[in-house]
Amino acid sequence: MHRIAAEPLDVLRTRTSEKWRHYDADVLPLPVAEMDYPLAEPIAAALHAAIDRSDTGYAAGSRGVAEAFVPFAAERLGWQVDPARVTCTGDVAMGLVEVLRQVTEPGDGVVITPPIYPPFFDIVTEASARVVEVPMLGGIDEGWSLDLDGIEAAFAAGARAMVLCNPHNPIGLVPAREQLAALADVAARHGVTIVSDEVHGPLAQPGTGYTPFLTVSDAAREHGITVTAASKAFNLAGLKAAMVVTGSDRGDAVRRAFPYEVEWRMSQFGSIASVAAFREGGHWLDGVLASLDDNRRLLAELLADELPGVRYRIPDATYLAWLDLSALGWGDDPAAFALEHARVALGVGTMFGAEVGRGHVRLNFACTPEVLGEAVTRLADAAASAPSS
C-alpha cells in the first residue's frame, strides 16, 4: 500500500492556519484536528484552475457536490445516496445547528455522548436546546459502546433529539451496525431525531465495518439525518462546504424548512474542492489511511516504551488518540502541564466532558513519525523530571 508522507516541520510552520499560528514556535501543536499531509493533487489542481479563471463567485447550489458524493459514498461507504436528498451548507457544525433548530423547540433536551467533540455542547445551545449528557459506556481498556438504556431514558424524559458522532471523536470508535440499528429503534419508539455527524466516516480504517447511520434500517432512514463533508478526510476545513443528507420524507421536510441562506453558506472553493475530492481523491485518501494506520500503531509502541503508565486504545477511525495521563500525576488538566513542561500542545480532556475528561488529553497523530516520536519523548522527559507527589 502506498503512503502519503506528512510535511516536515519547517514547511508546516509556513502555514497560517490556527494549528500553526496559535502556539509559540518551540511547541509541537497536536490538539487541532487538521492533518499535516500535503493537499491531494487533484484538489490543488482544481483550486488553481478556479483561480486562473477568476472563478471566485457564489457556489452554484448543492447539486454538483451531491452528484460527486454519490459514487464516492457507494464505493467507499456502502451508502446509496439520492442526490436530490442533499442540501449543502458551510460546514458540519452549521448543518447540525440548522437540523436541530428544525427538530426541537427551545429548551428541548438533546442527547450527546461524552467524551465528545467539544463544539457539540455549543451546537446544542446555539440551537436553543438543552444539553443532556449520556456518557459512553466502557473505557480505554475494554472499549466503548453507546449507552442505549441511558439514551432511551433521556428520550422518555423528554429529550427530542440526539447528536450521534459516527465515527466517534475523540475515542475513534466505529459503532457496530447492530448498535446503530438498536439506536434507530429507540428513536422510532419515541418519535425523536438522530442527527449523525459522519465527517470522519471516510477516515475509518479498512476492515473496521464502518456503517453510515442511514443505511442500517428503515427506522434509521425515517428518524435519522446525516451531516457530513469532505473536510476532515481531505483536510479542507477552511474551504467551508458540508452536506445535510436525508433518507425519508420526514427528513426531506427538515431540509426544505431550512432558511434560504443556509445553502448559500457553502463557499465556491469548498464546492470545487469537495467535487475534486470525491471524484479524484480516492488514491490520495488510501495513502493517508495507510500512513494513519502506521502512526496509530507507532503511538502504541512509543507509549509502551517511554510512557507505560499512559493508557491508550488504538482507534478504528480518525487520526485522533484519546489518552489517559492520570498515572503521570499531572492533575485534572494534564494538557496544561504538557504545554508548560514538554512544549507539546494537546487537546484539553475536560473540554470533551467535565467528568469523563479529567486526566485525559486528545492527541492528533496525522503528522510525521518523527514529530510523533518527538512529542512522546518530550512528554516522557517531562514525566521523568516532574517532582514526585
Side-chain angles (χ1 to χ4, degrees):
M1 173 66 71
H2 74 287
R3 282 156 174 77
I4 302 296
E7 303 274 25
L9 276 174
D10 61 335
V11 173
L12 292 166
R13 292 196 187 281
T14 67
R15 293 185 182 182
T16 62
S17 59
E18 170 73 2
K19 181 177 181 179
W20 297 102
R21 286 294 178 264
H22 184 78
Y23 300 98
D24 294 337
D26 65 330
V27 172
L28 295 179
L30 304 179
V32 180
E34 174 185 322
M35 297 193 286
D36 293 352
Y37 304 107
L39 193 63
E41 181 53 37
I43 299 174
L47 293 170
H48 282 298
I51 290 290
D52 289 344
R53 63 177 181 264
S54 300
D55 195 1
T56 56
Y58 294 108
S62 304
R63 193 75 186 189
V65 174
E67 290 182 346
F69 182 61
V70 168
F72 179 90
E75 178 182 349
R76 300 192 72 98
L77 308 175
W79 181 13
Q80 304 302 317
V81 174
D82 180 349
R85 285 178 152 166
V86 176
T87 297
C88 290
T89 190
D91 59 35
V92 168
M94 290 181 193
L96 295 173
V97 170
E98 294 301 337
V99 172
L100 290 175
R101 283 175 172 157
Q102 297 300 324
V103 302
T104 63
E105 299 292 336
D108 280 350
V110 174
V111 173
I112 62 173
T113 55
I116 198 69
Y117 178 54
F120 276 18
F121 293 91
D122 295 328
I123 284 164
V124 171
T125 56
E126 185 180 344
S128 301
R130 173 176 50 86
V131 170
V132 178
E133 296 186 37
V134 181
M136 300 294 290
L137 294 176
I140 288 174
D141 293 333
E142 67 272 37
W144 292 271
S145 64
L146 294 167
D147 181 357
L148 292 174
D149 290 341
I151 292 167
E152 180 148 29
F155 292 153
R160 299 302 303 153
M162 171 181 169
V163 183
L164 172 69
C165 202
N166 176 33
H168 194 102
N169 170 9
I171 59 179
L173 172 71
V174 172
R177 172 180 286 272
E178 294 76 16
Q179 188 157 65
L180 293 176
L183 176 63
D185 290 342
V186 170
R189 281 197 292 274
H190 295 276
V192 302
T193 304
I194 307 297
V195 191
S196 188
D197 174 352
E198 301 190 355
V199 72
H200 286 279
L203 290 170
Q205 284 292 333
T208 59
Y210 171 68
T211 307
F213 185 68
L214 294 184
T215 68
V216 300
S217 66
D218 288 340
R221 285 180 283 278
E222 181 70 15
H223 292 274
I225 296 174
T226 293
V227 188
T228 190
S231 57
K232 278 292 175 281
F234 294 95
N235 216 40
L236 306 175
L239 296 185
K240 295 299 177 186
M243 300 169 289
V244 179
V245 186
T246 53
S248 66
D249 292 344
R250 184 178 184 271
D252 295 344
V254 171
R255 287 187 303 98
R256 284 196 299 269
F258 286 165
Y260 174 75
E261 185 64 23
V262 169
E263 189 174 27
W264 286 98
R265 293 173 187 160
M266 177 171 63
S267 79
Q268 171 73 330
F269 281 2
S271 174
I272 289 167
S274 296
V275 170
F278 292 140
R279 286 184 176 166
E280 303 175 75
H283 183 71
W284 179 92
L285 182 55
D286 288 338
V288 164
L289 285 167
S291 294
L292 295 178
D293 185 28
D294 291 344
N295 277 5
R296 65 178 180 153
R297 299 177 192 280
L298 173 62
L299 179 58
E301 296 170 6
L302 292 168
L303 292 173
D305 289 344
E306 301 188 52
L307 284 168
V310 171
R311 295 164 65 237
Y312 161 59
R313 187 178 189 86
I314 295 176
D316 288 330
T318 80
Y319 46 81
L320 306 167
W322 184 241
L323 306 179
D324 181 358
L325 271 55
S326 301
L328 301 182
W330 294 356
D332 286 351
D333 180 15
F337 188 97
L339 181 59
E340 180 179 355
H341 297 281
R343 306 306 284 163
V344 176
L346 301 166
V348 177
T350 52
M351 292 182 64
F352 297 81
E355 295 300 320
V356 297
R358 286 189 295 188
H360 290 68
V361 297
R362 190 186 76 174
L363 179 149
N364 176 348
F365 56 81
C367 56
T368 65
E370 292 77 16
V371 166
L372 191 57
E374 173 68 14
V376 174
T377 296
R378 289 189 187 190
L379 294 171
D381 289 347
S385 60
S388 57
S389 54

